[in-house]
Amino acid sequence: MAAKPNILEILAKRIIIGDGSYMNTFEKRGYVTAGLYTPECVLEHPDAVSGLHKEFARAGADVIQAFTFHATDGMLQCSESAKNYNTSEINHAACDLARNVATLYNLLVCGGLSPTPTYTAGKGKAAVQAEFEKQCQVFKEKDVDFFIAEFFCSIEEMEWAIDVMKKYNKPIACTMRIGPVGCMDGISAGECAVRMAKRGADIVGLNCQFDYNAQLKTMKLMKDALNEAGLSPFLMMQPIGFLSPETEYLVEGYSQLPEYLLAMEPRILTRWECRDYARKVYELGVRYIGGCCGFESYHIREMAEELSEERGFRPPGKDHNLPFAAGYGQSVYEHDRQKHGRDYWMNLIPKTGRPNSAAYNSEKELIHL
């Protein structure tokens, strides 16, 4: 059996489509506790985790990310529903579930690190890195294809994570939950990108907290800074699957919305906005294109469809040979036939159906952290 290509070798040849939302999706389905957001469902409900992995695989994702978000001991101990579990058993189970599905579809497996309360509690570099080390040891044992450090808002903590990941001789992706104003340490987005690349990240980018319009602006800042520094890591973007324009220049992004996180449905991206995102981010030069909270499998599928020509293949599905809702052209209903084609859907401005709904929150309504 031929060896699976290295992710960096793949990125040198074509786009990679990432997977989407796990924590947010599982909370909606009743497998994760809102507010705590820990991944004990890999042990308690493994079939549900495998099912979502399969949804993303069939949607066209190239990567299955092990559901290890918030799986450090420091985070688990903060959660009433997860305190009886430890990092090792959750990470082992998550990696096995991801690998089983990835093998079926010949996809890559990623093991992920996320921020830990140990850092925000000021317990120091050694304590923080010890938590990351526990996870990375499992990732090595399970032979994941690459590592990712995601959802970091401190460049210092990110650098500590990179130092640990570098010991394991795997490709490293690093994404931060920052917008155009930069990170919580007061460091600009451009400098964050440069520091990640210099520290050893092979793939640099953004995930979560901001919508794709804000992340496009932030990625441009990062790309320009990397170019100026003479650095050329691959670029990666995984925004939220919602629209949140009024929080673009806030440090913590959409988490400062009154609707966060349990009333975000009116802001969910349409599948056509996902196509717009995929096209624009591709044109910016990003080559690892995925989604974070709110990105369901159908969103990932639209991105894979939008970039199918650039990738050289389409995801499976009944409209495999009928792109851009061409099936409407065959409908027996005249009002459906009028909706046939890309232009109709890409130019549609959806309405909310809520008479009392406003487009944005006022400055006064935003949650100020």
Side-chain angles (χ1 to χ4, degrees):
M1 187 177 193
K4 186 176 293 183
N6 181 289
I7 187 174
L8 304 179
E9 295 172 353
I10 299 174
L11 283 168
K13 297 176 182 178
R14 67 166 176 86
I15 308 157
I16 278 183
I17 298 293
D19 54 7
S21 167
Y22 285 97
M23 197 64 76
N24 181 264
T25 297
F26 282 134
E27 185 279 321
K28 289 179 180 177
R29 297 180 181 185
Y31 297 111
V32 162
T33 302
L36 299 175
Y37 300 114
T38 47
E40 63 273 13
C41 61
V42 299
L43 295 167
E44 297 176 346
H45 302 284
D47 290 347
V49 178
S50 293
L52 186 54
H53 285 327
K54 288 178 182 178
E55 286 186 32
F56 287 128
R58 192 173 182 277
D62 293 299
V63 173
I64 297 298
Q65 187 166 333
F67 187 33
T68 60
F69 184 80
H70 277 175
T72 61
D73 282 340
M75 184 62 74
L76 298 175
Q77 290 161 10
C78 292
S79 170
E80 188 66 29
S81 60
K83 66 181 182 181
N84 294 323
Y85 303 108
N86 62 49
T87 290
S88 179
E89 58 187 332
I90 285 183
N91 279 262
H92 273 91
C95 288
D96 286 342
L97 294 172
R99 179 63 72 189
N100 289 341
V101 172
T103 299
L104 287 175
Y105 292 89
N106 195 31
L107 306 179
L108 299 171
V109 173
C110 166
L113 304 181
S114 52
T116 173
T118 304
Y119 178 80
T120 52
K123 295 183 179 179
K125 182 176 181 180
V128 171
Q129 290 189 320
E131 295 213 46
F132 294 148
E133 194 78 54
K134 289 180 184 179
Q135 291 188 278
C136 288
Q137 287 171 358
V138 177
F139 299 153
K140 179 183 180 181
E141 179 183 339
K142 294 299 182 180
D143 194 26
V144 301
D145 297 299
F146 67 101
F147 291 177
I148 183 170
E150 64 175 0
F151 199 67
F152 286 74
C153 192
S154 165
I155 186 60
E156 180 181 59
E157 188 181 15
M158 174 63 87
E159 289 174 324
W160 294 355
I162 294 171
D163 290 344
V164 174
M165 292 187 291
K166 282 173 64 177
K167 300 177 183 179
Y168 293 89
N169 298 314
K170 296 279 188 179
I172 296 172
C174 293
T175 56
M176 298 188 72
R177 67 177 201 268
I178 60 175
V181 298
C183 80
M184 62 182 287
D185 300 329
I187 306 300
S188 72
E191 185 175 343
C192 285
V194 169
R195 286 174 60 169
M196 285 188 283
K198 285 185 174 179
R199 202 74 168 210
D202 303 296
I203 305 167
V204 167
L206 302 164
N207 85 298
C208 212
Q209 292 301 95
F210 296 89
D211 68 23
Y212 78 91
N213 293 303
Q215 285 203 356
L216 283 166
K217 296 176 183 178
T218 310
M219 183 58 73
K220 179 66 166 56
L221 296 172
M222 297 176 87
K223 182 179 179 181
D224 288 348
L226 288 164
N227 288 341
E228 187 175 345
L231 299 168
S232 54
F234 292 106
L235 302 179
M236 176 177 180
M237 187 185 293
Q238 300 201 126
I240 57 172
F242 310 100
L243 295 174
S244 179
E246 65 267 52
T247 65
E248 182 174 315
Y249 291 98
L250 301 179
V251 173
E252 286 291 355
Y254 88 129
S255 64
Q256 295 183 242
L257 289 173
E259 301 96 323
Y260 172 86
L261 184 59
L262 303 183
M264 294 295 296
E265 284 80 2
R267 295 173 177 264
I268 291 174
L269 295 180
T270 68
R271 61 191 73 184
W272 307 98
E273 287 164 334
C274 288
R275 286 180 178 258
D276 181 61
Y277 152 55
R279 179 58 54 191
K280 286 178 177 176
V281 75
Y282 170 76
E283 291 174 352
L284 185 59
V286 176
R287 289 300 175 263
Y288 189 130
I289 304 172
C292 201
C293 294
F295 266 85
E296 302 291 338
S297 54
Y298 72 92
H299 291 124
I300 299 300
R301 189 168 186 275
E302 290 301 324
M303 292 157 49
E305 287 280 8
E306 176 66 23
L307 296 173
S308 59
E309 184 174 341
E310 288 78 5
R311 295 174 81 205
F313 57 94
R314 310 184 82 101
K318 286 194 176 247
D319 63 348
H320 181 84
N321 296 311
L322 297 171
F324 309 127
Y328 273 118
Q330 301 175 5
S331 174
V332 298
Y333 301 108
E334 172 60 25
H335 59 270
D336 282 346
R337 293 198 296 274
Q338 294 174 12
K339 300 174 182 178
H340 167 220
R342 179 187 181 93
D343 288 346
Y344 174 87
W345 295 103
M346 292 297 286
N347 292 315
L348 180 70
I349 301 176
K351 308 302 186 293
T352 69
R354 291 176 169 79
N356 296 323
S357 177
Y360 310 117
N361 286 289
S362 68
E363 171 67 20
K364 186 177 180 180
E365 292 172 306
L366 295 174
I367 306 299
H368 293 283
L369 304 178

